[in-house]
Amino acid sequence: MMPKYISNDPILTKKEIEEFNQHYAMLCGVAASYGEIIQELMKRKNIDPKKAEFLTGLNYVQFKNLDKPGGAIQKRFVISVAIGFELDFDITECILKSCGLCLNSNDRVDRAYIYILENHKGRDIDECNMVLSQLGVPGNAMLGELERGEYTKRKK
C-alpha cells in the first residue's frame, strides 16, 4: 500500500526510468575486470577503438587489447575514459575498484579528478586538462597521452 503523501502522478519519464535501470545494471553485482567493463561500455555507447582514442586522448591500441590479461592501469587512464565516455562518478568508481584503485578526496590530484567528473561532464579531454592545470595538477597526472602537445580546439 502506497502512503497517502505519495502521488500517483508520474514524475519520471520512461526514458529516465530506462536510464536508471541501465545505470543500475552496470553497477549491480559487478565483478568484472577493467577491460570487461570498458568493453561493455564501448558496446553500449557504440564506441570503437578509434572513436575511443578521439574521446579519451588515449592510444586506440589500448582499447583493442582490453581482453589481454595483465598490465597495470593508471588512475589517469581511468579518469580519461570517464571524461571521454561522459561517465558519472559511480561508474568511474566501479572501474577504479576493478583495478584496485580509488579516488582519495584528501589527495589534491584526486580531488581535482573528482571536481572535473562532477562539474565538467561533457567537456573534452583537452578542456579538462586545462581545468586540471589551473587547479595545480602536475603534467604527469594529466589525462590522455602525455605527449599530446599544446591545446587545439577539436571539431565535434
Side-chain angles (χ1 to χ4, degrees), residues 11-144:
I11 293 175
L12 299 175
T13 65
K14 288 182 181 181
K15 182 181 179 199
E16 288 173 319
I17 293 169
E18 180 58 30
E19 287 173 354
F20 171 84
N21 289 333
Q22 288 177 356
H23 187 252
Y24 176 75
M26 273 304 297
L27 295 172
C28 182
V30 174
S33 70
Y34 164 83
E36 291 168 334
I37 296 170
I38 300 300
Q39 284 176 323
E40 181 63 25
L41 286 167
M42 289 173 68
K43 186 172 115 183
R44 287 182 185 207
K45 292 178 169 281
N46 196 26
I47 298 174
D48 64 16
K50 270 300 201 191
K51 186 173 181 183
E53 176 181 48
F54 176 78
L55 294 173
T56 66
L58 300 170
N59 191 300
Y60 81 97
V61 173
Q62 293 175 317
F63 296 98
K64 288 179 71 171
N65 296 325
L66 288 170
D67 56 347
K68 304 271 193 289
I73 303 300
Q74 294 180 1
K75 195 179 294 185
R76 68 181 187 81
F77 287 179
V78 175
I79 303 302
S80 296
V81 169
I83 293 298
F85 290 9
E86 296 186 13
L87 304 179
D88 66 22
F89 187 77
D90 291 333
I91 293 176
T92 303
E93 271 199 322
C94 177
I95 296 169
L96 286 165
K97 286 178 185 175
S98 75
C99 303
L101 302 170
C102 68
L103 290 172
N104 176 355
S105 61
N106 293 320
D107 178 88
R108 185 170 180 84
V109 172
D110 285 6
R111 187 71 227 156
Y113 288 157
I114 293 167
Y115 176 79
I116 62 171
L117 286 167
E118 292 178 343
N119 298 293
H120 294 280
K121 189 173 182 176
R123 290 189 183 255
D124 68 27
I125 291 292
D126 294 325
E127 291 171 319
C128 286
N129 276 338
M130 289 177 67
V131 170
L132 292 173
S133 177
Q134 290 176 1
L135 294 175
V137 172
N140 65 351
M142 293 294 161
L143 306 179

